[in-house]
Amino acid sequence: MALRGGLLYRTTGRVGEGDDALRFVPDDVVVRVTMLVALTPVAGMRGPAAGIALADGEVVTVLRLGEGHAEPPCDEDGWPTPGADQAVLCDLGGERVALTGGTVVATGWFEAAEAGDDGVTFRGRRAATLDVRGLYSRAEAAIWAARATASRRGGELA
């Protein structure tokens, strides 16, 4: 049985199919679960980018993946999972981003899904890998497209 290290993240709404999408964020992307300070919207940012914030003393782009936090998951004794309602700090090759709008379900080693599938299995349920780099790239492309449109019109960004 092959194992993959990382984090499981549950989102509601935009990212997944259905209302409750479970996604795997691999350990080569995840830095840590952390608190965000001073989330600030930035003119011209488009979803999934929500703004910038401080994470561990560093300014990061915040990507909002879902509609908000569900109730944090609990263990067998009813204790909430530590850090379940915090942001997931990711490193994309030197560019740090924070994921919000979901809930951390679990961290650790998970059974790799079937051959040819980059996801994992958790408690009998498949979790597809979340393409954090792709989300960030789409947000960046939307920002640059908005800037180009605004400059052609001689106007300001919305």
Side-chain angles (χ1 to χ4, degrees):
M1 168 175 62
L3 297 176
R4 295 190 66 202
L7 174 144
L8 291 174
Y9 199 63
R10 180 182 304 134
T11 61
T12 55
R14 292 180 275 197
V15 169
E17 308 86 30
D19 293 331
D20 185 16
L22 187 63
R23 295 289 180 254
F24 173 70
V25 185
D27 60 3
D28 64 340
V29 174
V30 171
V31 174
R32 73 175 60 52
V33 177
T34 190
M35 295 293 292
L36 294 181
V37 179
L39 175 61
T40 305
V42 176
M45 278 199 163
R46 303 289 186 258
I52 59 173
L54 286 175
D56 298 339
E58 180 179 3
V59 176
V60 299
T61 300
V62 178
L63 302 177
R64 176 168 286 285
L65 303 184
E67 302 302 327
H69 295 291
E71 284 295 314
C74 298
D75 66 13
E76 303 82 39
D77 297 323
W79 290 94
T81 303
D85 60 348
Q86 295 181 6
V88 177
L89 185 61
C90 299
D91 187 326
L92 307 179
E95 183 70 32
R96 297 255 171 129
V97 300
L99 306 178
T100 64
T103 304
V104 176
V105 174
T107 62
W109 293 95
F110 305 96
E111 183 179 339
E114 300 172 9
D117 182 349
D118 67 349
V120 298
T121 301
F122 178 68
R123 296 183 179 169
R125 188 170 167 199
R126 184 184 170 281
T129 297
L130 181 63
D131 182 9
V132 181
R133 285 180 179 89
L135 287 170
Y136 180 71
S137 293
R138 283 195 296 277
E140 282 288 303
I143 291 166
W144 285 107
R147 288 179 181 168
T149 301
S151 68
R152 280 194 300 268
R153 291 186 197 153
E156 293 188 22
L157 295 175

